[in-house]
Amino acid sequence: MDKVADIASDIGEYIRQQRSTAKISLRQLSKLAGVSNPYLSQIERGVRKPSAEILQQIAKGLRISAEALYVQAGILDLPTGGPVPEAIRSDNELSERQKQVLLDVYESFRRENQATRSTRENTAQENTAQENTAASDPPLNGAVPFRGVNKP
């Protein structure tokens, strides 16, 4: 039971931080999200644990991803990715939109580097295969392959 209370408190604090960062009052957010002012206040104070539907409405009001709220509420697991994405996600100075843009750029660089690495590896494998094939081919018409300049 304490874990549920911790999650409710964490999501409430997270929503409060996002609202504060967006410079939106509790009353404004309740209007934007279509959630009553008292209910939203209870969520922020950790008294109530909102449903996924309510979190989605709040996310729209805050103009952040619903996924971010789902992760904070324990509905979704935190996406994996290592220390860089973790640092970006945990930075309270960035808005959810800024975090998502940084994560997208970071992931595009990683994909590009992976593609470059794969291309290099494939080229190296093809070259090795060609060298191995050339070395194992028998000489044509009984000729001895030329391996350099013959010295008298």
Side-chain angles (χ1 to χ4, degrees):
M1 191 66 173
D2 288 339
K3 188 174 182 179
V4 172
D6 289 344
I7 290 172
S9 176
D10 291 347
I11 187 63
E13 179 59 31
Y14 183 77
I15 290 170
R16 181 182 291 123
Q17 287 174 350
Q18 293 302 312
R19 184 174 58 76
S20 176
T21 301
K23 295 180 175 53
I24 299 174
S25 72
L26 187 68
R27 187 166 282 144
Q28 288 171 317
L29 180 56
S30 79
K31 217 176 213 181
L32 290 169
V35 176
S36 77
N37 197 33
Y39 183 59
L40 186 56
S41 175
Q42 290 174 347
I43 292 170
E44 283 194 0
R45 289 181 286 132
V47 175
R48 297 277 191 126
K49 184 175 185 247
S51 67
E53 184 179 323
I54 297 295
L55 287 173
Q56 186 173 22
Q57 289 173 239
I58 293 170
K60 283 182 185 177
L62 289 169
R63 294 185 173 201
I64 63 174
S65 77
E67 181 183 80
L69 289 181
Y70 294 159
V71 168
Q72 288 294 321
I75 295 171
L76 288 179
D77 291 331
L78 182 66
T80 59
V84 173
E86 187 178 314
I88 291 170
R89 286 187 193 98
S90 67
D91 190 333
N92 291 330
E93 296 296 315
L94 300 174
S95 71
E96 284 303 311
R97 174 86 175 110
Q98 291 167 331
K99 290 176 186 180
Q100 193 56 55
V101 169
L102 283 173
L103 289 168
D104 290 345
V105 169
Y106 177 72
E107 283 306 314
S108 72
F109 284 149
R110 288 179 51 91
R111 280 191 303 272
E112 182 180 320
N113 291 345
Q114 179 62 39
T116 302
R117 250 189 323 275
S118 293
T119 302
R120 281 191 204 134
E121 288 170 4
N122 288 341
T123 302
Q125 288 173 354
E126 288 171 8
N127 289 343
T128 301
Q130 288 173 355
E131 289 169 5
N132 290 342
T133 301
S136 66
D137 285 344
L140 297 175
N141 299 328
V144 176
F146 179 71
R147 300 223 191 263
V149 178
N150 289 335
K151 294 184 181 177

